[in-house]
Amino acid sequence: MLTKDTGIIDAVQNHPEILEVFAEYGLGCVGCMASHFESIGQGAAAHGIDVEAFIADCNKAIEAAKK
């Protein structure tokens, strides 16, 4: 389960299914140099994204991929 403190790169490497969620929110974080040291919460907040909603959607995608 991801949290706002999970690193962006760690999250994407461990759960590539969340790339679709990043795209839906218009986040190109994976290609950004900041993704190597920013958390999901920091990256989403920097782009004015509702952090809690974004993380919830990422976690839903992870759960769906397990099924």
Side-chain angles (χ1 to χ4, degrees), residues 7-52:
I8 294 170
I9 290 297
D10 290 337
V12 172
Q13 286 178 342
N14 292 320
H15 306 286
E17 61 273 15
I18 66 171
L19 286 171
E20 185 175 316
V21 179
F22 275 76
E24 289 172 5
Y25 277 82
L27 295 174
C29 293
V30 178
C32 176
M33 288 301 295
S35 68
H36 293 277
F37 57 85
E38 277 189 343
S39 69
I40 291 176
Q42 291 169 321
H47 291 279
I49 302 294
D50 179 336
V51 176
E52 296 303 321

